[in-house]
Amino acid sequence: RRFGVFGAMQTGNAVYLGMALSNSGPAAAAVFVAVIAANVAGVVAMDSGVALLGPRWSPAAALLPPGLLLACELLANTPSPLAPWAVCFAAAAMGMQNALTLSGALAVNTTIVTGNLQKIGVHAARLLRGDKPSPKDVTQTTKCVAVTCATIAGSAS
C-alpha cells in the first residue's frame, strides 16, 4: 500500500473511496477513482489484446505488467508532483495480470490466494465425493497449489 492507496486490492480502494467521499470530499477521492479506473483499463487492454491477437500472444503479454510496475517505481521515486499517481501504473499492471490469468495457457489466479484456495477446495470436495477429476481439473488444481505455495514462500523471504 503506497501513498495510502492499494495497487492490487480494489476492494480496499472502493472502501477508501467511499470513506473519502463521505469524510473529505471529491478531491480526496480522486486518487481512488483513478486507481480503480486504471485497474479496469488494464483488464480491458489485456483482454482486448489477447482476444485480438490470440492466445499465442499471452506469454509475450505477460511482460507488460512488470514493465508497468517498473514505471510505477521509477515515477514514485522522483520529485515530480505526479509521483503519488504512480500507483495507477501498478493498478493497471494488476488489472492486466488478472485478465491474462482468466483463460489460456496462463489460466491461474495469481493475485488472490483466496481464489486459488477456493478452487483447490472445490476440487478436493469433488474428489471426496468420488468424482473423477478431468485432466483440466488436475492441471488447474496443480497450478493453484503451486501459486499458493510460491506466494507463501515469497512472503516468508
Side-chain angles (χ1 to χ4, degrees):
R1 197 178 140 200
R2 199 170 207 175
F3 303 112
V5 180
F6 297 101
M9 195 175 80
Q10 299 312 309
T11 303
N13 287 330
V15 170
Y16 282 141
L17 171 59
M19 290 169 50
L21 287 170
S22 67
N23 297 326
S24 306
V31 70
F32 298 108
V33 171
V35 168
I36 292 168
N39 184 269
V40 173
V43 172
V44 171
M46 184 62 73
D47 189 68
S48 298
V50 171
L52 290 172
L53 300 172
R56 295 177 82 156
W57 185 73
S58 294
L63 299 174
L64 293 172
L68 286 174
L69 291 173
L70 179 60
C72 172
E73 190 62 27
L74 291 172
L75 180 58
N77 289 303
T78 67
S80 169
L82 297 176
W85 298 90
V87 71
C88 291
F89 286 109
M94 296 299 99
M96 288 179 139
Q97 180 175 314
N98 287 341
L100 190 60
T101 59
L102 291 175
S103 63
L106 302 174
V108 63
N109 191 344
T110 59
T111 58
I112 303 172
V113 171
T114 303
N116 286 328
L117 294 175
Q118 288 172 332
K119 290 175 188 172
I120 292 166
V122 166
H123 293 294
R126 290 178 185 164
L127 284 174
L128 290 171
R129 287 194 306 265
D131 295 350
K132 182 176 173 154
S134 70
K136 181 180 176 182
D137 289 343
V138 171
T139 300
Q140 184 182 44
T141 302
T142 303
K143 287 179 180 180
C144 288
V145 168
V147 169
T148 301
C149 290
T151 301
I152 293 167
S155 298
S157 299

